[in-house]
Amino acid sequence: MVKKDKFYVTTPIYYPNDEPHVGSAYTTIAADILARWHRLLGEEVFFLTGTDEHGQKIAESAQKAGLTPQAFVDKMTAKFKEAFSMLNISNNNFIRTTDKNHELEVKRILQELYDKKFIYKGHYEAHYCVACEQYLTASELVNNKCPRHPNREPELRKEETYMFKLSSFGKKLKALISKGELKIMPEVRRKEILNFLDEGLQDISISRLKSKVSWGVELPFDKNHTCYVWVDAFWNYISGLGDKKNFDKFWPVDVQLMAKDIIRVHATIWPALLLALGYELPKTLFVHGYFTINGMKMSKSLGNVISPIDLVNKYGSDSVRYYVMRNIPFGSDGDVSEKGLVSRHNGELANKFGNLVSRVSALAEKCEVDNNIDVDLENIKEEFTLFMNEFKFDQALGTAFSFIDTLNQWVQDKKIWETGNGKDLYELESGIRLVTILLWSFMPQTCEKIAETFGFNISLKDLDSKLKINKKVKKSSILFEKVEFKEEELKFSGKKVIVSKSMKDLSCSIAEIKGVSVVNKNSSLERMKKEAFQSLSFDNVKKTIRSYDYLLGDKDKGSEGLSSENLWNYVIKNKKLPNINTLTDAYNLMSFKTGLIMGAYDTRKVSADINIRESDGSENFVPIGSSDKNPVKIHKGEYLVVDDSNKVITRWLTKQHDDVAVNKSTNGVIVCIQGNKDIKKSDVDEVMIDTCKLITSICGGEFKILY
Ligand code: MSP
């Protein structure tokens, strides 16, 4: 039976093991926009979000926080609720997997699956990543580690467990997904899942011994086991509807949103559970992209986690909602930054939308409006609707904002302040009404204010009738205050350089540059690289390169050759200097011109002070470009630049540690120039100053000589 005029949308339920970040806010904002849009279309909507509160990871986080698991999830879930309420999220229910009703429901289905023989007792042996709360297949492991959490050793689990017969559902799922009865969007994700299904599904373990993981729902047929978090979690989508009446009205769910990290389990275990229990399947699983912050994965250790609460406090919820939806095409990966948010807030919301409303309301306060005309704006509504139906939120916003541009142009062209033309004013007000109603799902607070100012309702139906202006319009207050973005001042890291006595006869220089921005190419740097190649004069440089030779004796047996010589050989063979990124290219250019060995290392990856000393044979070295990332042996007595964690930043004369390489997210570097005993320290220092000047002229920033 096809149920019309209803819309059920869900987000994943989030692990409350940490405070909410913009990642969880993103999916929830998208779901809210869909929910509001369908309410606007006149449908009865159920919108569910919540938290996934059981499992080992949560229990561990609680322990670290010195709280019981229940007290811990109570505290953290309150933060999710607070963040969502600040973002104006209009969910109908907030489900927690520790809700008693939910736990009872999970026990009910476990018993039913057991009675129907979909669950059997067995043994299981596999690698499990606690950070993902997922098993890893042999093909997923990279160097025996989880590809997403290489710092956390996966656990090899071999224990008595209850298994779910997932393997019996592979064929059926493949057929349903191929036919589009279970729709997976976008297309790349559907293909990915079909390929995954072709590998064949294995039965999965659905329980842990209670003695190992006690923070979970107890199996109703064996009190010594607790239920695997995902089976417990999936059922939220049904238990969260609350009662049978809602279930009858809203099931099957229309759209389930998530990112790519959890589509596999959602496209296999989840529908398999439903099939086993005789439930209808979800209609659409929509997989949006994953986003990074300033080009980097969001992570606590990098200190770049953005709290949605902070953003809302600074810029208001509508700006945050608008920015994340406008900036990243829904379904693709993307990047967000506070700077980007401010730029759209000022440039699009304040200057375009806010300004339009302020100018037109000011005109309406002064002039008489004449509504004796028909204004046809149907095509804009149609285009916007089409994009919304295809989840192309950024393009829907594009349509609305290019119409805002048109309206601003009308204001400019029609000069109503001179003509007092009431018909023109009416056209403008009708335009504002249209755009406000369309944008309401994205920016409810602002749009409601505008509707109040002009005296219309937020209703798509009303759009079909003429705008009735029956109240005196007053100039609107400012909708979006412009904000100034203050880039947090980047400080020098305060690192010191300590040179061991035995190295004193080797001249070298070390500097720090802060506040650089690295890109692929820069035209004036490219010009300089070309010129350097054309005026190639080997003799001088060769002398410098050769004067390192004595160092390659016994001490640097492990070295693979001089880096400045390798650079020369590359240039001669390829007839150009390498193109890596603007910062690396800049110091390579200097190294090429002088024959001196140089390197630049991402400051964030260099911990504390820098030591230049001989190797004691215990250091950890992973050469740049190392594909297997396994440390290689350093010979005792080799000359090294090492940081305080004993990580080799660079092996004298040759390669640098893979981890410290410069990339586009680098905002500061340590620059090293390695002299030798034939070159005076003052000469190396001079080259260092020229090198830092070149780098900062291309990449920006300020430098400081450390040694
Ligand atoms: N608890 C499970 C889901 C169970 S659903 C039955 C879980 N939780 S989670 O807290 O890790 O949330 C993952 C989801 O958060 C992603 O699928 C995505 O919706 C959202 N995101 C988390 N970080 C994100 C980004 N950096 N970018 C985009 N989405 C983000 O997995």
Side-chain angles (χ1 to χ4, degrees):
M1 184 184 68
V2 182
K3 295 171 200 168
K4 270 200 194 142
D5 300 332
K6 72 91 184 170
F7 182 74
Y8 179 24
V9 60
T10 66
T11 71
I13 46 171
Y14 307 103
Y15 293 126
N17 59 325
D18 232 323
E19 308 215 344
H21 53 65
V22 277
S24 31
Y26 179 61
T27 319
T28 315
I29 292 170
D32 188 58
I33 286 162
L34 282 172
R36 287 178 185 270
W37 176 248
H38 283 267
R39 287 191 196 114
L40 206 57
L41 292 173
E43 293 165 23
E44 196 171 349
V45 170
F46 200 92
F47 165 20
L48 181 68
T49 187
T51 40
D52 189 356
E53 305 189 348
H54 289 124
Q56 190 175 352
K57 189 159 71 171
I58 300 280
E60 282 177 6
S61 305
Q63 203 181 12
K64 270 193 209 142
L67 292 172
T68 63
Q70 189 63 54
F72 177 73
V73 293
D74 286 349
K75 184 176 152 206
M76 300 306 283
T77 293
K79 303 216 171 177
F80 275 81
K81 288 189 173 173
E82 186 196 348
F84 292 171
S85 124
M86 287 180 71
L87 283 162
N88 244 320
I89 301 299
S90 63
N91 51 309
N92 297 74
N93 190 14
F94 186 104
I95 177 94
R96 300 177 56 182
T97 53
T98 51
D99 287 346
K100 284 293 152 273
N101 255 348
H102 171 81
E103 291 186 356
L104 284 175
E105 265 288 286
V106 172
K107 286 191 179 178
R108 177 183 72 76
I109 62 150
L110 285 167
Q111 187 66 51
E112 195 175 330
L113 289 166
Y114 186 67
D115 294 343
K116 289 184 168 165
K117 311 241 173 323
F118 286 112
I119 290 178
Y120 62 94
K121 195 171 189 171
H123 283 272
Y124 197 68
E125 183 175 353
H127 288 281
Y128 189 81
C129 173
V130 177
C132 293
E133 293 280 16
Q134 289 190 46
Y135 283 98
L136 303 162
T137 60
S139 64
E140 270 180 300
L141 290 170
V142 176
N143 286 329
N144 288 323
K145 302 268 172 61
C146 164
R148 290 169 293 273
H149 303 99
N151 295 327
R152 175 151 195 170
E153 200 69 36
E155 292 176 7
L156 185 65
R157 288 188 174 175
K158 185 180 180 184
E159 59 188 46
E160 173 191 295
T161 183
Y162 285 89
M163 306 284 291
F164 171 62
K165 282 192 184 163
L166 183 62
S167 61
S168 352
F169 295 92
K171 273 206 185 105
K172 176 109 204 206
L173 285 174
K174 185 163 183 205
L176 289 167
I177 295 170
S178 304
K179 278 190 283 185
E181 278 176 42
L182 169 58
K183 213 164 157 188
I184 298 177
M185 288 175 78
E187 180 60 16
V188 280
R189 299 290 166 211
R190 188 180 83 103
K191 284 208 180 106
E192 181 188 306
I193 294 300
L194 287 173
N195 288 341
F196 178 61
L197 286 171
D198 281 342
E199 289 172 25
L201 293 178
Q202 310 279 320
D203 290 351
I204 56 154
S205 153
I206 58 124
S207 76
R208 295 288 324 263
L209 281 171
K210 205 172 178 182
S211 54
K212 299 231 166 112
V213 179
S214 61
W215 182 239
V217 177
E218 197 177 88
L219 296 191
F221 44 85
D222 189 338
K223 310 234 165 310
N224 293 325
H225 284 253
T226 54
C227 171
Y228 173 48
V229 276
W230 281 91
V231 173
D232 169 14
F234 283 133
W235 213 252
N236 93 84
Y237 296 136
I238 287 184
S239 70
L241 283 167
D243 56 23
K244 187 167 178 322
K245 201 171 122 244
N246 272 343
F247 175 80
D248 289 342
K249 190 186 293 168
F250 291 106
W251 195 259
V253 55
D254 295 82
V255 179
Q256 302 207 273
L257 297 181
M258 72 206 69
K260 59 191 176 189
D261 52 342
I262 55 175
I263 179 61
R264 276 196 189 178
V265 279
H266 271 84
T268 53
I269 306 174
W270 166 226
L273 287 173
L274 292 169
L275 289 172
L277 294 161
Y279 283 76
E280 278 181 83
L281 296 192
K283 291 190 202 159
T284 301
L285 306 180
F286 189 96
V287 187
H288 63 68
Y290 225 70
F291 64 73
T292 47
I293 307 288
N294 283 317
M296 275 182 288
K297 199 180 144 194
M298 224 180 317
S299 102
K300 262 197 165 170
S301 58
L302 287 175
N304 66 346
V305 177
I306 301 185
S307 143
I309 298 184
D310 289 351
L311 287 182
V312 171
N313 281 334
K314 273 168 128 172
Y315 308 108
S317 68
D318 282 351
S319 287
V320 179
R321 294 167 62 106
Y322 171 77
Y323 172 67
V324 291
M325 288 301 134
R326 181 74 178 107
N327 211 48
I328 309 171
F330 204 54
S332 313
D333 289 343
D335 189 53
V336 297
S337 66
E338 198 169 333
K339 196 173 173 182
L341 194 165
V342 171
S343 146
R344 287 197 187 269
H345 172 96
N346 289 340
E348 290 158 26
L349 298 180
N351 285 354
K352 294 183 173 182
F353 194 23
N355 222 1
L356 173 73
V357 172
S358 137
R359 290 164 85 186
V360 175
S361 60
L363 289 170
E365 194 179 75
K366 287 196 198 108
C367 310
E368 255 339 283
V369 70
D370 179 354
N371 57 10
N372 208 6
I373 53 161
D374 284 323
V375 184
D376 182 13
L377 302 166
E378 197 52 32
N379 54 342
I380 293 177
K381 181 177 148 196
E382 254 174 39
E383 193 177 293
F384 187 93
T385 307
L386 217 68
F387 285 136
M388 290 302 282
N389 290 343
E390 293 176 351
F391 302 92
K392 294 183 175 158
F393 302 136
D394 63 316
Q395 295 189 52
L397 287 171
T399 301
F401 272 76
S402 63
F403 184 54
I404 288 175
D405 284 344
T406 309
L407 292 174
N408 273 318
Q409 196 57 48
W410 284 1
V411 175
Q412 203 66 13
D413 294 348
K414 295 190 171 162
K415 300 194 179 5
I416 302 173
W417 57 94
E418 287 172 9
T419 64
N421 186 323
K423 285 197 171 78
D424 286 347
L425 183 60
Y426 182 76
E427 269 190 331
L428 276 170
E429 289 189 33
S430 300
I432 287 183
R433 177 177 69 156
L434 170 73
V435 92
T436 304
I437 294 172
L438 295 181
L439 285 175
W440 174 76
S441 324
F442 291 85
M443 295 183 277
Q445 228 170 32
T446 308
C447 293
E448 281 160 24
K449 263 196 226 160
I450 302 173
E452 171 69 31
T453 300
F454 289 96
F456 57 80
N457 294 323
I458 302 280
S459 145
L460 273 183
K461 260 204 207 106
D462 282 10
L463 269 183
D464 298 335
S465 53
K466 269 187 152 187
L467 168 63
K468 288 191 200 77
I469 299 162
N470 42 23
K471 78 176 242 185
K472 185 73 198 139
V473 176
K474 282 226 165 63
K475 184 175 190 291
S476 128
S477 57
I478 293 177
L479 294 178
F480 301 96
E481 287 285 355
K482 277 213 202 171
V483 282
E484 200 188 325
F485 179 65
K486 285 196 207 79
E487 193 123 25
E488 242 183 74
E489 206 200 326
L490 270 170
K491 294 200 181 77
F492 283 112
S493 63
K495 295 187 204 306
K496 285 201 281 296
V497 178
I498 303 135
V499 181
S500 93
K501 274 211 180 83
S502 60
M503 306 284 287
K504 279 276 165 20
D505 59 336
L506 294 176
S507 52
C508 69
S509 176
I510 299 203
E512 182 176 344
I513 310 183
K514 64 167 187 175
V516 292
S517 59
V518 182
V519 293
N520 272 344
K521 266 190 182 177
N522 166 297
S523 55
S524 64
L525 180 63
E526 289 305 304
R527 212 174 317 114
M528 287 185 241
K529 282 163 63 183
K530 225 186 214 153
E531 279 165 17
F533 172 72
Q534 279 156 359
S535 56
L536 178 121
S537 67
F538 193 46
D539 283 354
N540 245 345
V541 174
K542 196 170 154 192
K543 223 171 95 203
T544 314
I545 292 178
R546 289 281 72 92
S547 61
Y548 284 106
D549 270 0
Y550 75 101
L551 277 169
L552 289 177
D554 282 352
K555 285 205 167 127
D556 283 84
K557 274 198 199 106
S559 304
E560 295 158 36
L562 297 161
S563 61
S564 50
E565 188 171 20
N566 291 343
L567 178 64
W568 259 89
N569 292 339
Y570 173 95
V571 175
I572 287 158
K573 185 166 163 237
N574 296 286
K575 304 203 171 11
K576 62 175 182 110
L577 273 100
N579 180 214
I580 301 168
N581 57 52
T582 42
L583 198 140
T584 310
D585 291 3
Y587 78 72
N588 268 342
L589 173 61
M590 290 303 293
S591 169
F592 174 73
K593 280 183 166 174
T594 58
L596 289 169
I597 291 170
M598 298 187 189
Y601 319 103
D602 195 317
T603 318
R604 295 168 305 178
K605 304 290 179 63
V606 176
S607 51
D609 293 339
I610 298 161
N611 299 309
I612 301 180
R613 60 165 170 77
E614 289 176 53
S615 157
D616 58 18
S618 72
E619 298 82 0
N620 164 24
F621 180 59
V622 179
I624 194 163
S626 156
S627 54
D628 54 7
K629 301 258 172 192
N630 281 331
V632 299
K633 203 174 150 34
I634 293 272
H635 296 82
K636 200 163 176 246
E638 259 187 60
Y639 293 160
L640 303 175
V641 180
V642 182
D643 73 2
D644 265 10
S645 69
N646 226 23
K647 177 163 79 188
V648 178
I649 304 167
T650 176
R651 201 171 179 169
W652 207 242
L653 306 170
T654 56
K655 294 205 156 184
Q656 65 190 57
H657 195 292
D658 196 61
D659 216 31
V660 295
V662 172
N663 59 40
K664 279 187 237 152
S665 71
T666 300
N667 57 16
V669 287
I670 302 288
V671 184
C672 231
I673 303 188
Q674 308 176 353
N676 58 54
K677 67 177 181 190
D678 292 345
I679 296 167
K680 283 199 301 247
K681 165 82 172 138
S682 58
D683 292 339
V684 181
D685 287 347
E686 222 171 274
V687 176
M688 177 58 100
I689 289 172
D690 288 346
T691 307
C692 289
K693 279 188 180 159
L694 176 66
I695 292 176
T696 50
S697 76
I698 301 291
C699 307
E702 288 168 53
F703 67 90
K704 182 169 156 188
I705 306 291
L706 302 183
Y707 176 79

